Structures are given as structure tokens and as C-alpha cells.
Amino acid sequence: MERRSEAQVRSVLADAGQDWVGVRSDGLQVLLSGTAPSEVERFRAMTQAGTVVDSSRIVDDMTVAAVDAALPPAFKVELLRNDEGISLIGLVPASTDRAALVETLQNETAAPKVADLLENADYPAPENWDAAITYGLRAAQLTPHAKISIAAGAVSIEALAESRAEKGRLEMELNRSLPASVKLETNISAPRPVMAPFTLRFMIDEQGARFDACAADHEEGRERILAAAMRAGVKGTPGCALALGAPAPEWADAAVAVIGAVAALQQGTVTISDADIALTVPAGVERSDFDKVVANLERALPAVFSLNAHLEEASDAPAGPAEFVATMSAGREMAMRGRITDQQMREAVDSFARARFASVQDSLRSDGNTPGGWTVRVIAGLEALDGLEKGSVKVSPETIELSGDSGDPRAAEHAAAALSKRLGAGAKYQLSIRYDRRLDPALALPDGKECVNRLNIIMSEAAIGFEPNRSTIAGDPTETLDRLAKVMGDCADFQIEAGGHTDSQGSEGFNADLSRSRAQALVRAMSDAGIDVTNMTSRGYGESQPIASNDTEEGREENRRIEFRLISEQPVRSEPLPAPVTVEGTTGEVPEPDPDVEIHMQTEEAPEAEEEMAGPDLPPAKMNPGAAPATVGASEEFQALDEREENIRLPVQTPDDGTPRPAPRPGTAEGGGESGDGNIEQSEATEE
């Protein structure tokens, strides 16, 4: 043990460049000897040795060089503050009241503990030392996460604010209370913003490789993304914002993979929007190269991400087969590209899409060589896509391919039925639809907003409390934690913030500390109770957001609370969705149900069979292959697709001032709506 302790201390001192220190071990004691260049160097040697052996085992036999005896040491204090408490480290004059420093921090902050690790030197305090110490303590009250370096007449602050607004308020407060005799340096950063949707867009074209948008969910992931971009040819040091709201922990894996795919092709654009990836490659890339890169990319992507890859055709190339592609995001935002018969059909399709989706981006181009009934096939594809939560549809003369996510376990069957209803019999389709239980209305799973509402209702009804001016939970929180556990069972994959609030009694800095500590205490209690709080954060707002008056005890009690807030509406996926249900068939045929898909529907008991009706047997009905399913009160033949497309082309007249209009109904027009002789007027247009 003697040899090991001596070797460890010698090594750490040598690494710090303090080879003037003599080291000798004697049993458990480690003796440091030698002549220090200054008092600060002597203190540093003691501190370095204490990092490898217990400080109680170190014996200080060092002296300070006589030439420095008349010079005061460089007094300095490092004040470190985090959620665990406050630590004071450094060298102070012997006249400094260390006990008063600790007491001030204990009384004016809600730090769990204050550790005094200071050393004294018997020298007079330098000029402006007391002013810098007082200001540094004030800064510690304002900054919950900070490193504050205090020297004579100078204070340096590195801090983390809870928001951009809080950063501005903190900087203003620090500058306002700054004494004229103290120089201040600050480096205050705000936390990552919330980005929805979480987006990355990378491209390589004639202008080179570059980002249009880049987001990362942590430092290590950002470094990997930027390294991949620089390997792909991005010049200089590209930027990539750190943000909250990533759809999955594997965001960086997906980003690196798609950047590598574009780099392999040396041209193209890729966009990741939450878990949806769109890769567009311009004409000129060989189809075989494109297919190879896409296949490799699909294997490299994490399972939670879905890829839609498209190779464009050259404008001067032979026309080739017609194609229409529409992609719908989770927010029901639609992007359409491909061919349409003419401008009138384009307007019809655009109008159809805008009536069903939140927004529509139209990149269609006219092509008079599209096959007959093409517009009807396009509308049928959009109608089937409308039944999903997100996905894409590709329409070609041979088939209609539909893929995406749905909360309906029978979505594939319903999509096939919708296509049959619109197209009649004989149209081929390929369906690949994944079931997402969070989207299933039959399960009634809450969304992010509903999760937060339920959690806040529980907290408003809870008897959970805290000891006065402390973050220790008072009483038995078991019942409240049990209720929170039931809600979090369906809500753990949402990013939620637990925010603490106080009344206005006490100092502003103390209240900010106390509110944050109480929010952290609740989250820890939830974790200890077995609740999944992986995606939950805590934050203290202090007295800044009252919901009642602080002039009464009732109002102050309302203000002392913990509220939950939703950070991102998109859940964080830690597991991939189930494999999609894949169906290939032809309209008019009933697809076989997938026995592996669980149906979350309440079934009613089948009613007893009614007694047979007396009378002669009716002849069996004969289905015409070209007829739509029979509907009560209708017996029309199903029109061919060409005929249905001509119906879409019927001209629509825009009314003008000369267009006849019906007269107002009795009692609806101004003046009673009747003529003077009591007869109700009727226009010619109405008669027609």
C-alpha cells in the first residue's frame, strides 16, 4: 500500500508539472516535502495529491520560497453550483469570514448542502476582494447551475439558464447589480429548444454538399452527423442545432446513414421529418446504382424510421409509364408529384386533396399520354391514403401501391374496400400498412396533451406536500404516486416537464432554487415508485408564474404547486412498430384477414337468426362483373373508368351578376319576405 500510494501521488504531481514536490509514504501517511514557488503552488500540490489518496492521509511538510514571502498569493475562489449543492474551493485571506459565507449561501439559496473546501493564507485581503466576494455570492443566488470564479475585482460566470427568456433576465440582473469596482465576464447558455417536427435536410447538387436544416438530440450525435457531412464534402464547419423532440434515440444513426447514401450517389436530397425519410435523386443516376444504395440504406436505418426513395426522370427522356406519388406526413400534410392528364384534371385532383388533407404541395405536371381513367385511379389512391395516419401512395398503370401507419388493425382490408368501391373490379393493388396501437381509437390511448391534463388533475387533487422551505416530501405520497403510475403507463413515451412553482415570500433566487428542488424531488419519488420517467425533465419557475394573488394565504397556497407541461407532441419511440400487414390483390376480391393482427374492438353477441319468411324461394342474385355492390334504393351499373373521368371533366360555370337566383324563403328576407298583396314570390330560376 505504501509503494502504491507513493507511486500514485508522484504520478499525479508529475502530470501537473509539480516535480519540485518530494513524496514519501509512511504506513497510511503520505508526506509531501519541498519548497513551493508560491503559496498557490503549495495549495495546488495538496489538492492534486488529494485526488488519488484520501486528504486525511496527506501530511504537509512543504515550505514556501523566501523570495515570495513578502508577496501575497493570488487569492481566488471557485464557487460550483449544481443540483447536488454548492462547493467553495480555493484560497482566501485569513480575514475572510468563511462561516458567514456558508451561512449566507444556506439562507439565501435552497441548495441541499454547502461544502466549504477553502484554504486560508495569512495575508491581507487585496483591493476590491470583498466587493468581488459579495457580488459572487449574489450571482450564486441567481444561477442554479453555474461555475463562478471570484478574484480580486473580477468575477467570471459560466451558467446554464432554463430558457432564452431566463437567460436574458439573468444577464440583465447580473449587470444591474454589478459594482463599479468589479469586472464581469459571463458565458450563459440556454437549454436546447423544442423542434417539431424534428428535421434534417441534406443535399448535394452543382453548388456542392450542404445542410438546409440540421438538428441533433445530443452532443455525441451532433459530432457524428457533422463528421458524416464533412466526409460527404461539406466545406468548413457546418452547423447543427441541439434540440429536444427527436422521435427516437437512434436519430443520429438514421442521419448518418442517409447522409452516407447521398454521398454514395454524389447527388440528391434527403429530408428526415420525425421518423419519415424522403430521398429524392435527380435524373442521370443509373437505376442499378440507385437501387443498390436504397437497399443498403433500408438495412442501415433503425426500425422506427420509414423510407420513401424516388429517382426522377429526365425531362428529355422518353415519356415512359405514367406515375403519380403522394406522401402524407403525421400532420396530414400532403405532397403530390408525378403526372396528370391535363390542367383541368390537375385542378380536380388538387381540389379533392385539399378537401381531405391539412395542406397540399402540388408538383404535378400535365401529360396527355396518361392511360384512360387515370384521374379516377389517382383519386382512388388519395381516398385510400386518407384512411391512414401517415404514409404514401404510388399510382401506376399496372397497380396502386399504398403504405403507411394506421390505428386500425383492419386498415388493409378497408383500403382494399375503398379501392374496389372507387375503381370497380379488376384493378391490382399492393398494400403495406403498419398497425400503431397509439393511433387506435378503440384503445382510447391519450395523446400528449391529454396525458399532461390527467397528470395535472392528479396533482391538483393530491394531498402531497413539502416541508416548509424545503424540498422534502411531507406525508405519505403513496396514493398520489399510484395514480400517477396509472397515467404514466400510457404516457411514458411523451417528453413531459415537471415544473415547480412557489409563492412570492422569500428572495427570488431562493424561490427559484426551492421550486426546482421540489420538482426534482417529485420526479425522483416517481422513479423510486417504479414509474418510467426516462422522458421526464424537471424545472423550477420560482415565483415568476403565479396563478392567484400572493396577498392572501389561499392565493399563496395555490401558487405553491407542481405543474406538468408537454414538451413535444410526438412520442419518443424506443421500440419499432410491428411488421406491416402486406396484402396484394385485385379489386372486387375480398382480402384474407391477417390472423396475427389483434382486433381491439368490443364485439356484440350475434343476434338470434330470425325465422324464415314464408313464401316461395327467391332466385339467387347474379353479380355483374362490371357492377358496383348493390345499395338499398339504387340499381345502377358501375361506369367504366373512362366514363367516370369524363364526369369529372363536366364544366363548372362561375356565377355572375346575371345568373338567376332563387327568391328568398318566406320570413327570411328583410321586410318579412312577402309581397304587398300577401302572395309569396317565386323566381323563374326556382321554377326551372
Side-chain angles (χ1 to χ4, degrees):
M1 181 179 290
E2 289 181 355
R3 289 194 300 270
R4 184 166 60 250
S5 298
E6 184 174 328
Q8 289 175 338
V9 173
R10 286 184 186 276
S11 176
V12 72
L13 290 174
D15 291 342
Q18 295 171 314
D19 49 5
W20 56 267
V21 183
V23 182
R24 182 172 62 88
S25 60
D26 183 5
L28 293 178
Q29 292 183 330
V30 178
L31 290 81
L32 303 183
S33 61
T35 302
S38 66
E39 183 67 27
V40 172
E41 290 301 314
R42 183 193 68 81
F43 172 73
R44 287 183 59 203
M46 289 285 293
T47 303
Q48 291 292 336
T51 61
V52 293
V53 298
D54 192 285
S55 58
S56 62
R57 296 170 53 194
I58 301 174
V59 178
D60 181 7
D61 284 343
M62 296 177 290
T63 60
V64 180
V67 293
D68 293 335
L71 299 176
F75 293 113
K76 186 175 182 180
V77 174
E78 296 282 354
L79 192 154
L80 308 177
R81 181 160 190 202
N82 55 31
D83 295 336
E84 302 300 322
I86 299 176
S87 298
L88 293 167
I89 305 172
L91 182 67
V92 298
S95 59
T96 302
D97 190 345
R98 291 164 52 184
L101 296 183
V102 173
E103 184 179 2
T104 298
L105 292 173
Q106 289 174 335
N107 293 337
E108 296 300 327
T109 71
K113 62 181 180 179
V114 178
D116 178 6
L117 305 176
L118 296 171
E119 294 284 340
N120 290 336
D122 193 9
Y123 289 88
E127 185 180 3
N128 298 324
W129 171 258
D130 291 337
I133 282 286
T134 301
Y135 180 75
L137 296 182
R138 170 60 178 164
Q141 300 171 25
L142 298 173
T143 54
H145 298 87
K147 174 186 176 183
I148 303 173
S149 301
I150 306 171
V155 175
S156 175
I157 301 174
E158 296 181 16
L160 176 65
E162 295 181 336
S163 65
R164 292 181 61 84
E166 178 66 16
K167 175 185 176 182
R169 188 199 66 79
L170 179 58
E171 290 176 338
M172 181 180 66
E173 182 63 26
L174 288 172
N175 287 317
R176 184 173 60 185
S177 56
L178 178 66
S181 59
V182 177
K183 180 181 178 181
L184 175 65
E185 292 184 4
T186 60
N187 180 14
I188 302 175
S189 57
R192 293 173 288 169
V194 177
M195 182 177 293
F198 212 73
T199 305
L200 181 145
R201 181 176 172 86
F202 179 79
M203 63 179 61
I204 298 179
D205 56 16
E206 62 276 1
Q207 300 179 17
R210 65 188 186 279
F211 283 113
D212 263 5
C214 181
D217 54 346
H218 49 76
E219 288 280 1
E220 188 272 337
R222 177 167 67 176
E223 292 177 1
R224 292 176 55 204
I225 292 171
L226 295 181
M230 295 177 73
R231 288 194 300 270
V234 174
K235 304 299 182 183
T237 304
C240 193
L242 287 176
L244 299 174
E250 303 89 353
W251 173 265
D253 297 337
V256 170
V258 299
I259 292 172
V262 177
L265 295 170
Q266 283 301 301
Q267 54 183 320
T269 301
V270 66
T271 301
I272 314 179
S273 178
D274 289 331
D276 298 322
I277 301 175
L279 173 64
T280 303
V281 179
V285 173
E286 294 293 334
R287 169 62 69 173
S288 58
D289 295 339
F290 172 80
D291 293 340
K292 179 180 178 181
V293 168
V294 170
N296 292 335
L297 178 58
E298 288 178 336
R299 286 193 294 268
L301 285 174
V304 296
F305 291 87
S306 60
L307 174 65
N308 180 18
H310 173 65
L311 176 61
E312 295 180 341
E313 296 179 357
S315 57
D316 56 351
E323 182 179 277
F324 170 90
V325 177
T327 304
M328 177 181 64
S329 67
R332 296 190 64 79
E333 296 178 350
M334 170 69 67
M336 301 186 298
R337 57 181 171 80
R339 303 181 190 177
I340 201 67
T341 306
D342 53 32
Q343 183 60 30
Q344 187 177 4
M345 293 295 98
R346 176 176 178 175
E347 293 175 358
V349 170
D350 186 79
S351 176
F352 182 91
R354 293 184 185 279
R356 286 160 174 78
F357 304 101
S359 66
V360 177
Q361 294 182 358
D362 180 351
S363 300
L364 301 176
R365 62 180 187 270
S366 299
D367 182 357
N369 296 323
T370 55
W374 179 252
T375 306
V376 180
R377 293 175 64 84
V378 167
I379 290 177
L382 293 176
E383 201 167 35
L385 182 61
D386 187 26
L388 306 183
E389 294 298 328
K390 64 177 181 179
S392 64
V393 63
K394 176 181 177 182
V395 181
S396 65
E398 295 79 21
T399 186
I400 297 178
E401 302 175 21
L402 177 70
S403 62
D405 299 342
S406 172
D408 181 1
R410 299 299 189 202
E413 298 175 34
H414 295 160
L419 293 173
S420 295
K421 182 178 179 181
R422 176 67 65 173
L423 301 175
K428 293 183 178 180
Y429 57 80
Q430 296 178 1
L431 311 177
S432 181
I433 302 175
R434 294 190 299 185
Y435 169 73
D436 186 350
R437 62 185 297 272
R438 181 158 288 284
L439 304 174
D440 192 340
L443 297 181
L445 295 177
D447 59 12
K449 293 181 180 179
E450 179 61 23
C451 286
V452 168
N453 289 338
R454 294 182 185 182
L455 293 173
N456 284 329
I457 290 174
I458 293 173
M459 291 304 300
S460 67
E461 299 173 349
I464 192 170
F466 296 89
E467 294 181 4
N469 295 328
R470 295 177 63 86
S471 59
T472 304
I473 296 178
D476 185 4
T478 303
E479 181 181 353
T480 299
L481 292 174
D482 288 343
R483 295 180 63 189
L484 292 174
K486 292 179 181 178
V487 174
M488 289 299 293
D490 292 329
C491 299
D493 49 355
F494 285 103
Q495 293 179 321
I496 298 174
E497 173 194 273
H501 302 264
T502 68
D503 57 31
S504 61
Q505 293 181 322
S507 69
E508 183 178 349
F510 180 85
N511 288 334
D513 283 349
L514 184 63
S515 62
R516 183 181 61 259
S517 298
R518 287 179 170 178
Q520 292 170 344
L522 176 63
V523 175
R524 282 196 300 269
M526 294 172 66
S527 178
D528 293 342
I531 301 174
D532 184 359
V533 293
T534 304
N535 296 314
M536 183 173 289
T537 60
S538 56
R539 180 179 175 185
Y541 291 90
E543 60 188 70
S544 63
Q545 297 184 6
I547 58 174
S549 172
N550 280 304
D551 297 333
T552 65
E553 179 56 36
E554 293 79 6
R556 290 191 291 271
E557 184 176 355
E558 288 187 52
N559 291 331
R560 296 190 294 268
R561 69 197 189 278
I562 292 180
E563 285 184 352
F564 293 95
R565 182 178 70 90
L566 183 64
I567 295 177
S568 174
E569 295 185 4
Q570 296 298 324
V572 177
R573 297 200 183 280
S574 57
E575 298 179 357
L577 292 174
V581 176
T582 303
V583 177
E584 294 186 11
T586 304
T587 55
E589 300 174 353
V590 179
E592 291 293 332
D594 190 337
D596 295 331
V597 178
E598 182 180 359
I599 303 178
H600 303 281
M601 300 178 62
Q602 294 181 349
T603 57
E604 299 178 356
E605 295 183 359
E608 296 182 359
E610 298 181 0
E611 296 182 0
E612 294 185 2
M613 182 181 297
D617 293 337
L618 295 176
K622 296 182 179 180
M623 288 296 295
N624 188 326
T631 306
V632 175
S635 60
E636 61 179 353
E637 291 288 319
F638 190 88
Q639 292 179 316
L641 295 186
D642 289 347
E643 297 173 336
R644 303 194 76 182
E645 184 157 349
E646 285 304 313
N647 292 338
I648 298 175
R649 196 180 293 278
L650 289 175
V652 178
Q653 295 181 350
T654 303
D656 53 26
D657 295 339
T659 303
R661 291 177 172 82
R665 292 178 177 274
T668 60
E670 296 181 0
E674 293 187 5
S675 61
D677 59 1
N679 294 327
I680 301 175
E681 297 179 352
Q682 188 175 28
S683 70
E684 295 179 1
T686 304
E687 293 175 355
E688 292 176 354

